Amino acid sequence: MSSFTKAAQQWATFARSWYLIDAKMQPPGKIATMCAIRLQGKHKPIYHALSDCGDHVVVMNTRHIAFSGNKWEQKVYSSHTGYPGGFKQMTAAQLHQKDPTAIIKLAVYGMLPRNLSRRTMMQRLQLFPDDVIPEEILNNLTEELPQPRNVPRRLNEYTQEEIEAFPSLWTPPEDFKMK
Amino acid sequence: MTSRGTPSRFLKSVLQNGVGRYVCQIKRISLVFSKDAQTSLGAREFIEDKVVDFAKQNPGIVVYVTPQRCRIPKIIAEYLNGTVKEEPINSKTSEEITQLIKKLSSQSGLEVIRIRKPIHTDSPSIQGQWHPFTNRPPSLRVHRGQLPNNQTEPQPTTSTC
């Protein structure tokens, strides 16, 4: 790389990459922190707030995100239309029903710095509810980020052999009644 | 004027002068003065007393002394990178002219404007400047489908240069 001209070296160092994140069965907050870090460019050693060094992030399967706890029913998203009596509140489940990308979008928006660059960074975030991604964006992707949460396997995803091979302390007799 | 409105340059030396041997950057000093005018008095005194010593002490500088009919006497300094600097020595004393000539002979021909950074290096990076693909193993590339279970990921090899 030392044989490159100064202009070519600068172009290489400040190049913008495209990252892919699969949000299937992932907590939206953790996805949003990963997005926010990369949109600002904080994962780069050349980071500076003024040098516009953020990258593009593409999030797919936002429809299949997984809140922990009872947040689908308890987390409330509020907004106001500006008109009197226009205060609207929606649970996370209702908002997700209306727009499957809104939860991650709002989470990332709240994690970015509150300055004028925030809108530009949000423009570089692409959200897709399913894994259907347009061809142009697919061709740009350079790296897939590892998922933040290890998705546990469901019981019906284990084979019968694995279930039988699992160590058990005792087997209940035929006529045993669980209280 | 603010520093944004005035010209500025980066710190540099002419052809890395001083890294090997030092080459005196001034080529030629021409003293243009008048034989009779009052304003050239200092110039004439300087020429009587000090110019020969100066020329002997700096054998690399060519000194021209040209008496002409001129309104203002001048020192014209020419440098190796082509810049020509004209300084009027109008009504200056001999000591002031010696100081001025000393200053001019120790300058290089680069412009005297604001220097943006007081540092310069020709080798800004030893291990190679960072780019997005340093420390990015190819195993992180985008797999659109799942890898088949039997296939193992090719391990990233450490490269020796």
Side-chain angles (χ1 to χ4, degrees):
Chain A
M1 282 277 171
S2 57
S3 58
F4 291 176
T5 58
K6 292 269 185 324
Q9 179 64 65
Q10 172 98 350
W11 180 80
T13 305
F14 285 88
R16 227 175 263 155
S17 322
W18 285 65
Y19 290 93
L20 177 67
I21 301 180
D22 187 0
K24 189 159 191 171
M25 297 297 286
Q26 303 297 312
K30 294 218 161 87
I31 296 283
T33 45
M34 291 165 65
C35 292
I37 288 174
R38 278 159 187 84
L39 288 168
Q40 292 174 62
K42 286 208 150 171
H43 60 297
K44 298 183 172 177
I46 46 159
Y47 167 78
H48 189 274
L50 298 173
S51 49
D52 191 17
C53 47
D55 287 334
H56 293 257
V57 179
V58 176
V59 185
M60 64 179 195
N61 285 327
T62 60
R63 186 171 276 134
H64 304 283
I65 50 173
F67 266 120
S68 57
N70 294 331
K71 286 186 216 154
W72 285 114
E73 265 48 296
Q74 289 176 347
K75 191 168 172 63
V76 165
Y77 287 87
S78 332
S79 58
H80 200 291
T81 58
Y83 291 94
F87 185 55
K88 298 212 155 47
Q89 285 184 303
M90 270 196 277
T91 59
Q94 289 166 340
L95 180 65
H96 197 63
Q97 188 73 28
K98 214 169 78 147
D99 179 11
T101 62
I103 289 185
I104 296 210
K105 188 158 170 206
L106 289 168
V108 175
Y109 192 72
M111 293 186 187
L112 292 174
R114 314 288 194 269
N115 56 26
L116 292 173
S117 328
R118 183 160 61 160
R119 299 266 165 170
T120 351
M121 292 180 210
M122 286 303 288
Q123 287 190 323
R124 294 194 183 137
L125 173 70
Q126 318 276 345
L127 299 167
F128 296 101
D130 301 303
D131 57 3
V132 177
I133 301 182
E135 179 95 33
E136 300 95 39
I137 295 180
L138 272 185
N139 291 338
N140 287 344
L141 295 170
T142 60
E143 184 177 336
E144 179 161 10
L145 300 176
Q147 295 190 310
R149 171 197 183 222
N150 291 327
V151 181
R153 286 158 74 186
R154 294 192 304 271
L155 187 59
N156 60 0
E157 284 171 0
Y158 283 94
T159 56
Q160 192 57 32
E161 294 86 26
E162 281 175 319
I163 295 174
E164 280 158 17
F166 198 83
S168 70
L169 198 55
W170 69 297
T171 43
E174 295 278 324
D175 52 354
F176 185 77
K177 254 199 193 166
M178 287 267 205
K179 286 219 191 94
Chain B
M1 278 293 277
T2 54
S3 56
R4 191 171 166 193
T6 45
S8 57
R9 67 177 172 95
F10 286 96
L11 180 70
K12 65 186 272 226
S13 57
V14 180
L15 293 178
Q16 277 98 34
N17 194 21
V19 172
R21 57 144 52 182
Y22 169 72
V23 175
C24 183
Q25 288 294 311
I26 185 162
K27 249 191 327 200
R28 204 174 299 136
I29 292 190
S30 320
L31 267 165
V32 170
F33 70 106
S34 166
K35 250 183 343 135
D36 298 312
Q38 191 57 32
T39 49
S40 315
L41 185 61
R44 274 175 269 142
E45 278 181 22
F46 173 76
I47 288 165
E48 277 171 34
D49 306 329
K50 297 172 191 158
V51 78
V52 184
D53 297 328
F54 170 78
K56 286 213 176 105
Q57 277 157 18
N58 307 67
I61 307 177
V62 183
V63 181
Y64 287 91
V65 168
T66 39
Q68 278 175 5
R69 288 193 62 168
C70 58
R71 296 192 79 146
I72 38 161
K74 282 193 266 213
I75 292 182
I76 305 170
E78 290 172 60
Y79 293 92
L80 286 177
N81 64 350
T83 35
V84 176
K85 231 176 151 211
E86 288 195 5
E87 294 272 346
I89 44 176
N90 207 355
S91 314
K92 279 203 162 82
T93 61
S94 179
E95 285 77 26
E96 285 170 7
I97 295 178
T98 33
Q99 275 188 335
L100 178 65
I101 286 212
K102 226 173 160 184
K103 181 185 87 152
L104 287 173
S105 60
S106 60
Q107 282 179 344
S108 75
L110 301 165
E111 298 171 288
V112 181
I113 47 179
R114 177 180 71 96
I115 293 182
R116 289 185 181 215
K117 300 190 221 199
I119 44 179
H120 171 78
T121 170
D122 284 319
S123 49
S125 170
I126 301 291
Q127 299 178 22
Q129 199 172 70
W130 182 89
H131 56 87
F133 291 96
T134 47
N135 301 327
R136 192 189 274 191
S139 53
L140 293 176
R141 72 181 179 280
V142 177
H143 304 120
R144 284 316 324 285
Q146 297 294 323
L147 279 182
N149 288 333
N150 298 334
Q151 202 174 325
T152 52
E153 195 57 62
Q155 296 301 314
T157 53
T158 52
S159 63
T160 53
C161 2

